[in-house]
Amino acid sequence: DIRDRQDIERLVVTFYERAFEDVVLGHIFVDVAKMDLVEHLPHMCDFWETVLFKTATYGRNAFEVHQRIHAMEQLTPMHFQRWEDLWHKTLDQTFRGEKANLAKLHASRMSGSIQRRLASGHPANVIRIV
């Protein structure tokens, strides 16, 4: 199972390496968001550490990032489904247990929430992970 920050880093790096190469997601991460994995990695690890271990290390607004990307290129249900499928597949190939299941659950909830908020054009109900 996911036990600590080191496990989270392994998961996040593996996932993003796959996402950058993915036929559906790669363009969004590489060409649109121009994501620098080295810079982005600590934030994503803070997010998942907060979600899984309640560390309160993540203090950003996850929706704002997606809203900015969506303004540059529309994020569709296909993008979110692919992200979720790839996240779940990466977890299944790397970890098993309570925290891995929690990571899947939160990813699905977050994906749905961000999609609904982008579709409505209303930023209410900010996602706060603490």
Side-chain angles (χ1 to χ4, degrees), residues 17-79:
E17 286 174 348
R18 293 174 178 180
F20 278 33
E21 294 177 3
D22 186 80
V23 67
V24 174
L25 298 176
H27 166 69
I28 299 296
F29 286 115
V30 175
D31 302 322
V32 178
K34 298 184 185 328
M35 184 185 291
D36 176 349
L37 185 57
V38 173
E39 180 183 327
H40 191 61
L41 179 66
H43 302 298
M44 294 302 356
C45 290
D46 287 348
F47 177 85
W48 286 107
E49 189 175 38
T50 297
V51 168
L52 298 176
F53 298 107
K54 309 259 187 256
T55 59
T57 52
Y58 185 79
R60 296 173 155 219
N61 181 333
F63 179 71
E64 286 179 1
V65 174
H66 294 87
Q67 192 174 37
R68 282 195 306 271
I69 295 167
H70 186 69
M72 292 185 276
E73 183 163 327
Q74 183 179 9
L75 298 175
T76 67
M78 177 186 65
H79 291 116

Side-chain angles (χ1 to χ4, degrees), residues 96-130:
R96 298 218 184 336
E98 179 185 344
K99 296 296 183 185
N101 290 336
L102 185 61
K104 289 181 199 176
L105 176 64
H106 276 283
S108 296
R109 288 179 177 170
M110 183 182 65
S111 174
S113 175
I114 290 172
Q115 283 184 77
R116 285 187 299 276
R117 292 173 63 205
L118 288 175
S120 74
H122 192 275
N125 302 321
V126 172
I127 299 171
R128 289 275 181 219
I129 306 294
V130 286

